Amino acid sequence: MPSTAIVTVEKMLESLPEEMQERVVEHLREYILDLQDELQWDALFKRTQGELVAAARRAREEIAAGQAEPMDFERL
C-alpha cells in the first residue's frame, strides 16, 4: 500500500496536464537520483570515518613533530 506522501504526489500529478506530468516526473527522477547519490556518499563517509579520524590525528602529530611540509599545489 502506498504511503500518504506517494498518494499526495500522485493526486497532485493527476491534476496537471499530461505534458506537465512528464516534466514533473523528469524533475523528480533527477532529484531522486541526486538524493540516492548523497545517501551513498553519506554511507561511504560513515564507513570510513574512523580511518579519516586516524589520518587527521597522524597529520596533527606530524605537524607537531615538525615532520610535515607545506602542501605544494604545483605538484598536484
Side-chain angles (χ1 to χ4, degrees), residues 68-73 75:
E69 296 179 16
M71 176 67 81
D72 182 359
F73 291 102
R75 289 184 12 205

Side-chain angles (χ1 to χ4, degrees), residues 50-65 67-68:
E51 296 171 37
L52 293 171
V53 168
R57 187 176 297 121
R58 282 192 307 274
R60 281 193 300 264
E61 290 170 358
E62 289 176 9
I63 291 168
Q67 299 171 341

Side-chain angles (χ1 to χ4, degrees), residues 4-38:
T4 55
I6 292 173
V7 171
T8 300
V9 170
E10 184 178 13
K11 286 180 182 178
M12 292 170 68
L13 278 171
E14 288 173 347
S15 71
L16 298 172
E18 192 170 328
E19 180 181 305
M20 292 301 292
Q21 290 178 16
E22 295 297 326
R23 289 177 60 189
V24 170
V25 167
E26 185 56 35
H27 284 288
L28 283 172
R29 184 177 290 118
E30 290 176 19
Y31 183 66
I32 290 170
L33 288 173
D34 286 344
L35 289 175
Q36 290 171 333
D37 189 47
E38 285 183 36

